[in-house]
Coordinates of all heavy atoms in Angstrom, one line a residue:
M1 N 95.3 96.5 93.4 CA 96.0 97.7 93.3 C 95.7 98.4 92.1 O 95.7 97.8 91.0 CB 97.5 97.5 93.4 CG 98.4 98.6 93.1 SD 100.1 98.4 93.4 CE 100.5 97.0 92.3
R2 N 95.3 99.7 92.2 CA 94.9 100.5 91.0 C 96.0 101.4 90.5 O 95.9 102.6 90.4 CB 93.7 101.2 91.4 CG 92.4 100.4 91.5 CD 91.2 101.0 91.7 NE 91.2 101.9 93.0 CZ 91.2 103.2 93.0 NH1 91.1 103.8 91.8 NH2 91.3 103.9 94.1
L3 N 97.1 100.8 90.2 CA 98.2 101.4 89.4 C 98.6 100.5 88.3 O 98.6 99.3 88.5 CB 99.4 101.6 90.3 CG 99.3 102.7 91.4 CD1 100.7 102.7 92.2 CD2 99.0 104.1 90.9
T4 N 98.9 101.0 87.3 CA 99.4 100.2 86.1 C 100.8 99.8 86.4 O 101.5 100.3 87.2 CB 99.4 101.0 84.8 OG1 100.4 102.0 84.8 CG2 98.0 101.6 84.5
P5 N 101.2 98.6 85.8 CA 102.6 98.2 85.9 C 103.6 99.3 85.6 O 104.7 99.5 86.3 CB 102.7 97.0 85.0 CG 101.4 96.5 85.0 CD 100.5 97.6 85.0
E6 N 103.3 100.1 84.5 CA 104.1 101.2 84.2 C 104.3 102.2 85.3 O 105.3 102.8 85.6 CB 103.7 101.9 82.9 CG 104.5 103.0 82.4 CD 104.0 103.8 81.2 OE1 102.9 103.5 80.8 OE2 104.7 104.6 80.7
Q7 N 103.1 102.6 85.9 CA 103.1 103.5 87.0 C 104.0 103.0 88.2 O 104.7 103.8 88.8 CB 101.7 103.8 87.5 CG 100.9 104.6 86.5 CD 99.4 104.8 86.9 OE1 98.8 103.8 87.2 NE2 98.9 105.9 86.7
V8 N 103.8 101.8 88.5 CA 104.6 101.2 89.6 C 106.1 101.3 89.3 O 106.9 101.7 90.1 CB 104.2 99.7 89.8 CG1 105.2 99.0 90.8 CG2 102.8 99.7 90.4
T9 N 106.5 101.0 88.0 CA 107.9 101.1 87.6 C 108.4 102.5 87.7 O 109.4 102.8 88.3 CB 108.1 100.6 86.2 OG1 107.7 99.1 86.2 CG2 109.5 100.7 85.8
I10 N 107.6 103.5 87.3 CA 108.0 104.9 87.4 C 108.2 105.3 88.9 O 109.1 106.0 89.2 CB 107.0 105.7 86.7 CG1 107.0 105.6 85.2 CG2 107.1 107.3 87.1 CD1 105.9 106.2 84.4
I11 N 107.3 104.9 89.7 CA 107.3 105.2 91.1 C 108.6 104.7 91.8 O 109.3 105.3 92.5 CB 106.1 104.9 91.9 CG1 104.8 105.8 91.4 CG2 106.2 105.0 93.4 CD1 103.5 105.2 91.9
K12 N 108.8 103.4 91.6 CA 109.9 102.7 92.1 C 111.2 103.3 91.6 O 112.2 103.5 92.5 CB 109.9 101.2 91.9 CG 108.8 100.4 92.6 CD 108.5 99.1 92.2 CE 109.6 98.1 92.3 NZ 109.3 96.8 92.0
K13 N 111.3 103.6 90.4 CA 112.6 104.1 89.8 C 112.8 105.6 90.5 O 114.0 105.9 90.7 CB 112.5 104.2 88.3 CG 113.8 104.7 87.7 CD 113.8 104.6 86.2 CE 115.1 105.0 85.5 NZ 116.0 105.9 86.2
A14 N 111.8 106.4 90.5 CA 111.9 107.7 91.0 C 112.4 107.6 92.5 O 113.2 108.4 92.9 CB 110.6 108.5 90.9
C15 N 111.9 106.7 93.2 CA 112.2 106.5 94.6 C 113.7 106.1 94.7 O 114.5 106.7 95.5 CB 111.4 105.4 95.3 SG 111.7 105.2 97.0
I16 N 114.1 105.1 93.9 CA 115.5 104.7 93.9 C 116.5 105.8 93.5 O 117.5 106.1 94.1 CB 115.7 103.4 93.1 CG1 115.1 102.2 93.7 CG2 117.2 103.2 92.8 CD1 114.9 101.0 92.9
D17 N 116.1 106.6 92.4 CA 116.9 107.6 91.9 C 117.1 108.8 92.9 O 118.2 109.4 92.9 CB 116.2 108.2 90.6 CG 116.4 107.2 89.4 OD1 117.1 106.2 89.5 OD2 115.7 107.6 88.5
T18 N 116.1 109.0 93.7 CA 116.2 110.2 94.7 C 116.6 109.8 96.0 O 117.5 110.3 96.7 CB 114.9 110.9 94.7 OG1 113.8 110.0 95.0 CG2 114.6 111.7 93.4
F19 N 116.0 108.7 96.6 CA 116.2 108.2 98.0 C 117.3 107.2 98.1 O 117.8 107.0 99.2 CB 115.0 107.8 98.6 CG 114.0 108.9 99.0 CD1 113.0 109.3 98.2 CD2 114.2 109.6 100.3 CE1 112.1 110.3 98.6 CE2 113.3 110.6 100.6 CZ 112.3 110.9 99.7
G20 N 117.6 106.5 97.0 CA 118.6 105.5 97.0 C 118.1 104.1 97.1 O 117.0 103.9 97.2
E21 N 119.0 103.1 96.8 CA 118.6 101.7 96.7 C 118.0 101.1 97.9 O 117.3 100.2 97.9 CB 119.9 100.9 96.3 CG 120.5 101.2 95.0 CD 119.7 100.5 93.9 OE1 119.0 99.5 94.1 OE2 119.7 101.0 92.7
T22 N 118.4 101.7 99.1 CA 117.9 101.1 100.4 C 116.5 101.6 100.8 O 115.9 101.1 101.7 CB 118.9 101.4 101.6 OG1 119.0 102.8 101.7 CG2 120.2 100.8 101.2
A23 N 116.0 102.6 100.1 CA 114.6 103.1 100.4 C 113.6 102.1 100.1 O 113.7 101.3 99.2 CB 114.4 104.4 99.7
R24 N 112.5 102.1 100.9 CA 111.4 101.2 100.7 C 110.2 102.1 100.5 O 110.1 103.2 101.1 CB 111.2 100.2 101.8 CG 112.4 99.4 101.9 CD 112.3 98.3 103.0 NE 111.3 98.4 104.1 CZ 110.9 97.4 104.8 NH1 111.4 96.2 104.6 NH2 110.0 97.6 105.7
I25 N 109.2 101.7 99.7 CA 108.1 102.6 99.3 C 106.8 101.7 99.3 O 106.8 100.6 98.8 CB 108.2 103.2 98.0 CG1 107.2 104.3 97.8 CG2 108.4 102.4 96.9 CD1 107.4 105.3 96.7
W26 N 105.8 102.2 100.0 CA 104.5 101.6 100.1 C 103.4 102.4 99.5 O 103.4 103.7 99.5 CB 104.0 101.4 101.6 CG 104.7 100.4 102.4 CD1 104.2 99.2 102.6 CD2 105.9 100.5 103.1 NE1 105.1 98.5 103.4 CE2 106.2 99.3 103.7 CE3 106.9 101.5 103.3 CZ2 107.3 99.0 104.5 CZ3 108.0 101.3 104.0 CH2 108.2 100.0 104.6
L27 N 102.5 101.8 98.7 CA 101.3 102.4 98.2 C 100.3 102.1 99.3 O 100.1 101.0 99.7 CB 100.9 101.9 96.9 CG 99.6 102.3 96.4 CD1 99.6 103.7 95.9 CD2 99.1 101.4 95.1
F28 N 99.5 103.1 99.7 CA 98.4 102.8 100.6 C 97.3 103.7 100.3 O 97.3 104.5 99.4 CB 98.9 103.1 102.1 CG 99.2 104.5 102.5 CD1 98.3 105.3 103.2 CD2 100.4 105.1 102.1 CE1 98.6 106.6 103.5 CE2 100.7 106.5 102.4 CZ 99.7 107.2 103.1
G29 N 96.2 103.6 101.1 CA 95.0 104.4 100.8 C 94.1 103.7 99.7 O 94.1 102.5 99.5
S30 N 93.3 104.6 99.1 CA 92.2 104.1 98.2 C 92.8 103.3 97.0 O 92.1 102.5 96.5 CB 91.3 105.2 97.8 OG 92.0 106.2 97.0
R31 N 94.0 103.7 96.6 CA 94.5 103.0 95.4 C 94.9 101.5 95.6 O 95.1 100.8 94.7 CB 95.8 103.7 94.9 CG 95.4 105.1 94.2 CD 94.9 104.9 92.9 NE 94.6 106.2 92.3 CZ 95.1 106.6 91.1 NH1 96.0 105.9 90.5 NH2 94.8 107.9 90.7
V32 N 94.9 101.1 96.8 CA 95.1 99.7 97.2 C 94.0 98.8 96.9 O 94.0 97.7 96.6 CB 95.6 99.6 98.7 CG1 95.7 98.1 99.0 CG2 96.9 100.3 98.8
D33 N 92.8 99.5 97.0 CA 91.4 98.8 96.9 C 91.0 98.8 95.4 O 90.7 99.8 94.9 CB 90.4 99.5 97.7 CG 89.1 98.7 97.8 OD1 88.8 97.9 97.0 OD2 88.3 99.0 98.8
D34 N 90.9 97.6 94.8 CA 90.6 97.5 93.4 C 89.1 97.9 93.2 O 88.7 98.1 92.0 CB 90.8 96.0 92.9 CG 92.2 95.7 92.8 OD1 93.1 96.6 92.5 OD2 92.6 94.5 92.9
H35 N 88.3 97.9 94.2 CA 86.8 98.1 94.1 C 86.5 99.6 94.1 O 85.3 100.0 93.9 CB 86.1 97.4 95.1 CG 86.3 95.9 95.1 ND1 85.9 95.1 93.9 CD2 86.9 95.0 95.8 CE1 86.2 93.9 94.1 NE2 86.9 93.8 95.2
K36 N 87.4 100.4 94.5 CA 87.2 101.9 94.5 C 87.5 102.5 93.2 O 88.1 101.9 92.4 CB 88.0 102.5 95.7 CG 87.5 102.0 97.1 CD 88.1 102.8 98.2 CE 87.5 102.4 99.5 NZ 88.2 103.1 100.6
R37 N 87.2 103.8 93.2 CA 87.5 104.5 92.0 C 88.2 105.9 92.3 O 87.9 106.4 93.3 CB 86.2 104.8 91.1 CG 85.5 103.5 90.7 CD 84.5 103.9 89.8 NE 85.1 104.6 88.7 CZ 84.5 104.7 87.4 NH1 83.4 104.2 87.2 NH2 85.1 105.4 86.5
G38 N 89.0 106.4 91.4 CA 89.6 107.7 91.6 C 90.5 107.6 92.8 O 91.1 106.6 93.2
G39 N 90.7 108.8 93.4 CA 91.6 108.9 94.6 C 93.0 109.3 94.2 O 93.5 109.1 93.1
D40 N 93.7 109.9 95.2 CA 95.1 110.3 94.9 C 96.0 109.1 95.2 O 95.5 108.0 95.6 CB 95.5 111.5 95.8 CG 95.2 111.2 97.3 OD1 94.6 110.1 97.6 OD2 95.6 112.1 98.1
I41 N 97.2 109.3 94.8 CA 98.2 108.3 95.0 C 98.9 108.6 96.4 O 99.6 109.6 96.5 CB 99.2 108.2 93.9 CG1 98.5 107.9 92.6 CG2 100.4 107.2 94.2 CD1 99.5 108.0 91.3
D42 N 98.7 107.7 97.3 CA 99.3 107.9 98.7 C 100.5 107.0 98.8 O 100.4 105.8 98.6 CB 98.3 107.5 99.8 CG 97.1 108.4 99.8 OD1 97.3 109.7 99.8 OD2 95.9 107.9 99.7
L43 N 101.7 107.5 99.1 CA 102.9 106.8 99.2 C 103.6 107.1 100.5 O 103.6 108.2 101.1 CB 103.9 107.2 98.1 CG 103.3 107.0 96.7 CD1 104.3 107.7 95.6 CD2 103.2 105.6 96.3
L44 N 104.2 106.1 101.1 CA 105.0 106.2 102.3 C 106.4 105.7 101.9 O 106.6 104.6 101.4 CB 104.5 105.3 103.5 CG 105.5 105.2 104.6 CD1 105.8 106.5 105.3 CD2 105.1 104.2 105.6
I45 N 107.5 106.5 102.1 CA 108.8 106.2 101.8 C 109.6 106.1 103.1 O 109.4 106.9 104.0 CB 109.5 107.2 100.9 CG1 108.8 107.3 99.6 CG2 110.9 106.9 100.7 CD1 109.1 108.4 98.6
E46 N 110.3 105.0 103.2 CA 111.2 104.8 104.4 C 112.6 104.9 103.9 O 113.1 104.2 103.1 CB 110.9 103.4 105.0 CG 111.5 103.2 106.3 CD 111.1 101.8 106.9 OE1 111.5 100.8 106.3 OE2 110.3 101.8 107.8
T47 N 113.3 105.9 104.5 CA 114.7 106.1 104.0 C 115.6 106.0 105.3 O 115.2 106.1 106.5 CB 114.8 107.5 103.5 OG1 116.2 107.7 103.1 CG2 114.4 108.6 104.4
E48 N 116.9 105.7 105.1 CA 117.9 105.6 106.0 C 118.5 107.0 106.3 O 119.3 107.2 107.3 CB 119.0 104.6 105.7 CG 118.5 103.2 105.7 CD 119.5 102.2 105.2 OE1 120.7 102.6 105.0 OE2 119.1 101.0 105.2
E49 N 118.2 108.0 105.5 CA 118.7 109.4 105.6 C 118.3 110.0 107.0 O 117.1 109.7 107.3 CB 118.3 110.2 104.4 CG 118.7 111.7 104.5 CD 120.2 111.8 104.4 OE1 120.8 111.4 103.5 OE2 120.7 112.4 105.4
T50 N 119.2 110.7 107.6 CA 118.8 111.3 108.9 C 118.8 112.8 108.9 O 118.2 113.4 109.7 CB 119.7 110.8 110.0 OG1 121.1 111.2 109.6 CG2 119.6 109.3 110.2
D51 N 119.4 113.4 107.8 CA 119.4 114.9 107.7 C 118.1 115.3 107.2 O 117.8 115.2 106.1 CB 120.6 115.3 106.8 CG 120.8 116.8 106.7 OD1 119.8 117.5 106.6 OD2 122.0 117.2 106.7
V52 N 117.4 116.1 108.0 CA 116.1 116.6 107.7 C 116.1 117.4 106.4 O 115.2 117.4 105.5 CB 115.4 117.2 108.8 CG1 114.0 117.8 108.4 CG2 115.2 116.2 110.0
R53 N 117.0 118.3 106.4 CA 117.1 119.2 105.2 C 117.3 118.4 103.9 O 116.7 118.7 102.9 CB 118.3 120.2 105.3 CG 118.0 121.2 106.3 CD 119.1 122.2 106.4 NE 119.0 123.1 107.6 CZ 119.7 123.9 108.1 NH1 121.0 124.0 107.4 NH2 119.6 124.6 109.1
R54 N 118.2 117.4 103.9 CA 118.4 116.6 102.7 C 117.2 115.8 102.4 O 116.8 115.6 101.3 CB 119.6 115.7 103.0 CG 119.9 114.8 101.8 CD 121.1 114.0 101.9 NE 122.2 114.9 101.8 CZ 123.4 114.6 102.3 NH1 123.6 113.6 103.0 NH2 124.4 115.4 102.1
I55 N 116.4 115.4 103.4 CA 115.1 114.6 103.2 C 114.2 115.5 102.5 O 113.5 115.1 101.5 CB 114.6 114.1 104.6 CG1 115.5 113.0 105.1 CG2 113.2 113.5 104.3 CD1 115.3 112.6 106.5
V56 N 114.0 116.7 103.0 CA 113.1 117.6 102.3 C 113.4 117.9 100.9 O 112.6 117.8 100.0 CB 112.9 119.0 103.1 CG1 112.2 120.0 102.3 CG2 112.4 118.7 104.4
K57 N 114.7 118.1 100.6 CA 115.2 118.3 99.2 C 114.9 117.1 98.3 O 114.5 117.2 97.2 CB 116.6 118.7 99.1 CG 116.9 120.1 99.6 CD 118.4 120.4 99.6 CE 118.6 121.8 100.1 NZ 120.1 122.1 100.1
T58 N 115.2 115.9 98.9 CA 115.0 114.7 98.2 C 113.5 114.4 97.9 O 113.2 114.0 96.9 CB 115.6 113.5 99.0 OG1 117.0 113.8 99.3 CG2 115.5 112.2 98.3
E59 N 112.7 114.7 98.9 CA 111.2 114.5 98.7 C 110.8 115.4 97.5 O 109.9 115.0 96.7 CB 110.5 114.8 100.0 CG 109.0 114.7 99.8 CD 108.2 115.0 101.1 OE1 108.8 115.3 102.1 OE2 107.0 114.9 101.1
L60 N 111.2 116.7 97.5 CA 110.8 117.6 96.4 C 111.3 117.0 95.0 O 110.5 117.1 94.1 CB 111.3 118.9 96.7 CG 110.7 119.7 97.8 CD1 111.4 121.0 98.0 CD2 109.2 120.0 97.5
A61 N 112.5 116.5 95.0 CA 113.1 116.0 93.8 C 112.2 114.7 93.3 O 111.9 114.6 92.1 CB 114.5 115.6 93.9
F62 N 111.8 113.9 94.3 CA 111.0 112.7 94.0 C 109.7 113.2 93.4 O 109.2 112.7 92.4 CB 110.8 112.0 95.3 CG 109.8 110.8 95.2 CD1 110.2 109.7 94.5 CD2 108.6 110.9 95.8 CE1 109.3 108.6 94.5 CE2 107.7 109.9 95.7 CZ 108.0 108.7 95.1
M63 N 109.0 114.2 94.1 CA 107.7 114.7 93.6 C 107.8 115.3 92.2 O 107.0 115.0 91.4 CB 107.2 115.7 94.5 CG 106.7 115.2 95.9 SD 105.4 114.0 95.8 CE 104.1 115.1 95.1
V64 N 108.9 116.0 91.9 CA 109.1 116.6 90.5 C 109.2 115.4 89.5 O 108.6 115.5 88.4 CB 110.3 117.5 90.5 CG1 110.7 117.8 89.1 CG2 110.1 118.7 91.3
K65 N 109.9 114.4 89.8 CA 110.1 113.2 88.9 C 108.8 112.6 88.6 O 108.5 112.3 87.5 CB 111.1 112.3 89.5 CG 112.5 112.5 89.3 CD 113.4 111.4 89.7 CE 114.9 111.6 89.5 NZ 115.3 111.5 88.1
L66 N 108.1 112.4 89.7 CA 106.7 111.7 89.5 C 105.8 112.6 88.7 O 105.1 112.0 87.8 CB 106.1 111.4 90.9 CG 106.7 110.3 91.7 CD1 105.8 110.0 92.9 CD2 106.8 109.0 90.8
Q67 N 105.7 113.8 89.0 CA 104.8 114.8 88.2 C 105.2 114.8 86.8 O 104.3 114.8 85.9 CB 104.7 116.1 88.9 CG 104.0 116.2 90.2 CD 102.6 115.8 90.1 OE1 101.9 116.0 89.1 NE2 102.1 115.4 91.3
M68 N 106.5 114.8 86.5 CA 106.9 114.9 85.1 C 106.6 113.6 84.4 O 106.3 113.6 83.2 CB 108.4 115.2 85.0 CG 108.7 116.7 85.5 SD 110.4 117.1 85.4 CE 110.7 117.1 83.6
Q69 N 106.8 112.5 85.1 CA 106.6 111.2 84.4 C 105.1 110.6 84.4 O 104.8 109.9 83.4 CB 107.6 110.1 84.9 CG 109.0 110.5 84.7 CD 110.0 109.6 85.3 OE1 109.7 108.5 85.6 NE2 111.2 110.0 85.3
L70 N 104.5 111.0 85.5 CA 103.0 110.4 85.5 C 102.0 111.5 85.1 O 100.9 111.1 84.9 CB 102.8 110.1 87.0 CG 103.5 108.9 87.7 CD1 103.1 108.7 89.1 CD2 103.3 107.6 86.8
G71 N 102.4 112.6 84.9 CA 101.5 113.7 84.6 C 100.9 114.3 85.8 O 101.2 113.9 86.9
E72 N 100.2 115.4 85.7 CA 99.6 116.1 86.8 C 98.6 115.2 87.5 O 97.5 114.9 87.0 CB 99.0 117.4 86.4 CG 98.7 118.3 87.5 CD 98.2 119.7 87.0 OE1 98.7 120.2 86.1 OE2 97.3 120.2 87.7
Q73 N 98.9 114.7 88.7 CA 98.0 114.0 89.5 C 98.1 114.4 91.0 O 99.2 115.0 91.4 CB 98.4 112.5 89.5 CG 98.2 111.9 88.1 CD 98.3 110.3 88.2 OE1 97.8 109.7 89.1 NE2 98.9 109.8 87.1
K74 N 97.2 114.0 91.8 CA 97.3 114.3 93.2 C 98.0 113.2 93.8 O 97.7 112.0 93.8 CB 95.8 114.4 93.8 CG 95.9 114.6 95.3 CD 96.2 116.0 95.7 CE 95.9 116.2 97.1 NZ 97.0 116.4 98.0
I75 N 99.3 113.5 94.3 CA 100.2 112.5 95.0 C 100.5 113.0 96.3 O 101.0 114.2 96.5 CB 101.4 112.3 94.1 CG1 101.0 111.9 92.7 CG2 102.3 111.3 94.8 CD1 102.2 111.8 91.8
D76 N 100.2 112.2 97.4 CA 100.6 112.6 98.8 C 101.8 111.6 99.1 O 101.7 110.4 98.9 CB 99.4 112.3 99.7 CG 98.4 113.3 99.5 OD1 98.6 114.4 99.1 OD2 97.2 112.9 99.7
V77 N 102.9 112.2 99.7 CA 104.0 111.4 100.1 C 104.4 111.7 101.6 O 104.4 112.8 102.0 CB 105.2 111.9 99.3 CG1 106.5 111.1 99.7 CG2 105.0 111.6 97.8
L78 N 104.5 110.6 102.3 CA 105.0 110.7 103.7 C 106.4 110.1 103.7 O 106.7 109.1 102.9 CB 104.1 109.8 104.6 CG 102.6 110.1 104.6 CD1 101.9 109.1 105.5 CD2 102.4 111.6 105.2
V79 N 107.3 110.7 104.4 CA 108.6 110.1 104.5 C 109.0 109.8 106.0 O 108.8 110.6 106.8 CB 109.7 111.1 104.0 CG1 111.1 110.6 104.0 CG2 109.4 111.6 102.5
D80 N 109.4 108.6 106.2 CA 109.8 108.1 107.5 C 111.3 108.0 107.5 O 111.8 107.5 106.5 CB 109.1 106.8 107.9 CG 109.2 106.5 109.4 OD1 109.6 107.4 110.2 OD2 108.8 105.4 109.8
Y81 N 111.9 108.4 108.6 CA 113.4 108.3 108.7 C 113.8 108.0 110.2 O 113.0 108.3 111.0 CB 114.0 109.6 108.1 CG 113.4 110.9 108.7 CD1 114.0 111.5 109.9 CD2 112.3 111.4 108.2 CE1 113.4 112.6 110.4 CE2 111.7 112.5 108.7 CZ 112.3 113.1 109.8 OH 111.7 114.3 110.4
P82 N 114.9 107.5 110.4 CA 115.5 107.1 111.7 C 115.4 108.1 112.8 O 115.3 107.9 113.9 CB 116.8 106.4 111.5 CG 116.9 106.2 110.0 CD 115.9 107.1 109.4
S83 N 115.8 109.4 112.3 CA 115.9 110.5 113.4 C 114.6 111.2 113.7 O 114.6 112.1 114.5 CB 116.9 111.5 112.9 OG 116.6 112.1 111.7
R84 N 113.5 110.7 113.2 CA 112.2 111.3 113.4 C 111.9 111.1 114.9 O 112.0 110.0 115.5 CB 111.1 110.5 112.6 CG 109.7 111.1 112.9 CD 108.7 110.4 112.0 NE 108.8 110.7 110.6 CZ 108.2 111.9 110.1 NH1 107.7 112.8 110.9 NH2 108.3 112.2 108.9
K85 N 111.6 112.1 115.6 CA 111.2 112.1 117.0 C 109.8 111.6 117.3 O 109.7 110.8 118.3 CB 111.4 113.5 117.6 CG 112.9 113.9 117.6 CD 113.1 115.1 118.5 CE 114.4 115.8 118.4 NZ 115.5 115.2 117.8
V86 N 108.9 111.9 116.5 CA 107.5 111.5 116.7 C 107.1 110.9 115.3 O 107.2 111.5 114.3 CB 106.6 112.7 117.0 CG1 105.2 112.2 117.2 CG2 107.0 113.3 118.3
T87 N 106.5 109.6 115.4 CA 106.0 109.0 114.2 C 104.5 109.0 114.3 O 103.8 108.3 115.1 CB 106.5 107.5 114.1 OG1 107.9 107.5 114.2 CG2 106.0 106.9 112.9
P88 N 103.8 109.7 113.4 CA 102.4 109.7 113.3 C 101.8 108.4 113.2 O 102.4 107.6 112.4 CB 102.0 110.7 112.2 CG 103.2 111.5 111.9 CD 104.4 110.6 112.4
P89 N 100.6 108.1 113.7 CA 100.0 106.7 113.5 C 99.8 106.3 112.1 O 99.8 105.1 111.7 CB 98.6 106.9 114.3 CG 98.9 108.0 115.2 CD 99.8 108.9 114.6
I90 N 99.6 107.3 111.2 CA 99.3 107.0 109.8 C 100.5 106.2 109.2 O 100.3 105.4 108.2 CB 99.0 108.3 108.9 CG1 98.6 108.0 107.6 CG2 100.2 109.2 108.9 CD1 97.3 107.2 107.4
F91 N 101.7 106.4 109.7 CA 102.8 105.6 109.1 C 102.7 104.2 109.3 O 102.9 103.4 108.4 CB 104.1 106.1 109.8 CG 104.6 107.4 109.3 CD1 103.7 108.6 109.4 CD2 105.8 107.6 108.8 CE1 104.2 109.8 109.0 CE2 106.3 108.9 108.4 CZ 105.5 110.0 108.4
E92 N 102.2 103.8 110.5 CA 102.0 102.4 110.8 C 100.8 101.8 110.0 O 100.9 100.7 109.5 CB 101.8 102.1 112.3 CG 101.9 100.7 112.8 CD 103.3 100.0 112.4 OE1 104.3 100.7 112.4 OE2 103.2 98.8 112.0
V93 N 99.8 102.6 109.9 CA 98.6 102.2 109.1 C 99.0 101.9 107.7 O 98.6 101.0 107.0 CB 97.5 103.3 109.2 CG1 96.4 103.0 108.2 CG2 96.9 103.3 110.6
A94 N 99.8 102.9 107.1 CA 100.3 102.7 105.8 C 101.1 101.4 105.6 O 100.9 100.7 104.6 CB 101.2 103.9 105.4
K95 N 101.9 101.1 106.5 CA 102.7 99.9 106.4 C 101.8 98.6 106.6 O 102.1 97.6 106.0 CB 103.8 99.8 107.4 CG 105.0 100.9 107.1 CD 106.0 100.8 108.2 CE 107.1 101.9 107.9 NZ 108.1 102.0 109.0
Q96 N 100.9 98.7 107.5 CA 100.1 97.5 107.7 C 99.0 97.3 106.6 O 98.7 96.1 106.3 CB 99.3 97.6 109.1 CG 100.2 97.5 110.2 CD 99.5 97.7 111.6 OE1 98.3 98.0 111.6 NE2 100.3 97.6 112.6
T97 N 98.5 98.3 106.1 CA 97.4 98.2 105.1 C 97.8 98.4 103.6 O 97.1 98.1 102.7 CB 96.2 99.2 105.4 OG1 96.8 100.5 105.2 CG2 95.7 99.0 106.7
G98 N 99.0 99.0 103.5 CA 99.6 99.2 102.1 C 100.3 98.1 101.5 O 100.4 97.0 102.0
I99 N 100.7 98.3 100.3 CA 101.4 97.4 99.5 C 102.9 97.8 99.3 O 103.1 98.9 98.8 CB 100.8 97.2 98.1 CG1 99.4 96.6 98.3 CG2 101.6 96.3 97.2 CD1 98.6 96.6 97.0
L100 N 103.8 97.0 99.6 CA 105.3 97.4 99.4 C 105.5 97.2 97.9 O 105.3 96.1 97.4 CB 106.2 96.5 100.3 CG 107.6 96.7 100.2 CD1 107.9 98.1 100.8 CD2 108.3 95.7 101.0
L101 N 106.0 98.3 97.3 CA 106.3 98.3 95.9 C 107.7 97.7 95.7 O 108.5 97.9 96.5 CB 106.1 99.7 95.3 CG 104.7 100.3 95.4 CD1 104.6 101.6 94.7 CD2 103.6 99.4 94.8

């Protein structure tokens, strides 16, 4: 995994602070592979929240926390929630190939 322990701590804390203790977060994509270089930080967050408006606000708050603490970086966030009607295949790929933080 190509994140420092400090970056992992920041990401996990930001997730808990915004989405709550029950949220789970995966790192997936190129940052999982130690042999690659560069690349954005791809994250999948699984929340129990069902209100889409609240989820959007929470995702924005999460992104602001990350940018302020990690500095300006390319970060992609996917959010999965129970009331989602359609789950894109990338969500399953992220869970299968990613690392649960």
